[in-house]
Amino acid sequence: SQPVGKGPVEKIAETAEGRDGTGVIASPSGFTNSAEEVANKKGVKLYDADKILELLNTTEVEVPDTE
């Protein structure tokens, strides 16, 4: 229910770097400005509600009704 802060982004960045991968975080509640800054510096991909829906709409995955 709250935006993700920079702490989790930093942890994912460290884990991804240690495994020669790319960090990805999906959060329907979005991200704080500081989280976005860290993600940009560290190459972590952030997916908020709009981006998640965009990705779902470009695949054949059925989105359940949220009502």
Side-chain angles (χ1 to χ4, degrees):
S1 65
Q2 297 181 11
V4 173
K6 71 177 185 176
V9 178
E10 290 172 335
K11 287 181 183 179
I12 291 294
E14 289 174 18
T15 301
E17 185 177 303
R19 296 179 181 192
D20 293 327
T22 300
V24 178
I25 301 178
S27 170
S29 299
F31 303 89
T32 63
N33 289 338
S34 59
E36 291 177 358
E37 289 174 10
V38 171
N40 287 332
K41 289 179 186 174
K42 303 279 187 171
V44 174
K45 295 181 180 182
L46 302 180
Y47 295 92
D48 61 10
D50 291 336
K51 186 65 176 177
I52 293 168
L53 287 174
E54 178 185 322
L55 290 171
L56 289 173
N57 287 329
T58 60
T59 65
E60 294 184 20
V61 175
E62 289 186 35
V63 179
D65 190 5
T66 58
E67 293 183 30

